[in-house]
Amino acid sequence: MKVQMQSVHFTADQKLLDFIQKRLDKLETFYDRVTEGEVIMRLNNEGIANKTVEIKLYVPGTTLFSQEDAGTFEAAADAAAEQLKKQLIRHKEKQVAH
């Protein structure tokens, strides 16, 4: 899956980008028709959970979106990917039902 990644207010290192890419590649096991993805990582100034990860996945017919805040980008990406996993499974079940 082709994934565009953007980091706002900081420069993401390659280790973080590889982690997110690997996490999103695992989502293809649940629904293989994902065409592309978009990840935005953002630093916030409030509280302990000051790192935000937004993920958009483009699948035929719809766009799936998840946004999570956490203390680290890895934790936020994990939580967002978990939400997208649930959305992908639900979307696939709808497609099979029709």
Side-chain angles (χ1 to χ4, degrees):
M1 166 184 9
K2 183 181 137 194
V3 179
Q4 286 185 334
M5 296 195 202
Q6 298 175 346
S7 54
V8 180
H9 302 304
F10 78 104
T11 303
D13 63 343
Q14 192 60 43
K15 185 178 172 185
L16 175 62
L17 299 177
D18 291 343
F19 173 82
I20 293 173
Q21 179 70 48
K22 192 185 309 182
R23 191 69 172 101
L24 292 180
D25 286 343
K26 288 182 182 179
L27 292 177
E28 287 188 317
T29 61
F30 300 101
Y31 190 64
D32 60 351
R33 296 183 62 203
V34 178
T35 56
E36 65 179 295
E38 191 176 309
V39 178
I40 300 172
M41 297 167 279
R42 186 176 287 126
L43 275 174
N44 304 325
N45 290 331
E46 67 269 349
I48 296 171
N50 63 345
K51 294 171 179 67
T52 302
V53 173
E54 299 176 4
I55 304 174
K56 287 183 189 175
L57 288 183
Y58 300 100
V59 295
T62 190
T63 301
L64 305 177
F65 178 79
S66 179
Q67 175 180 337
E68 293 292 332
D69 299 327
T72 65
F73 284 111
E74 289 85 356
D78 268 343
E82 197 62 34
Q83 287 288 333
L84 285 170
K85 177 178 124 178
K86 293 175 186 174
Q87 291 180 32
L88 278 171
I89 291 170
R90 203 172 322 127
H91 180 73
K92 184 177 179 179
E93 288 172 354
K94 282 184 184 177
Q95 295 300 318
V96 171
H98 291 239

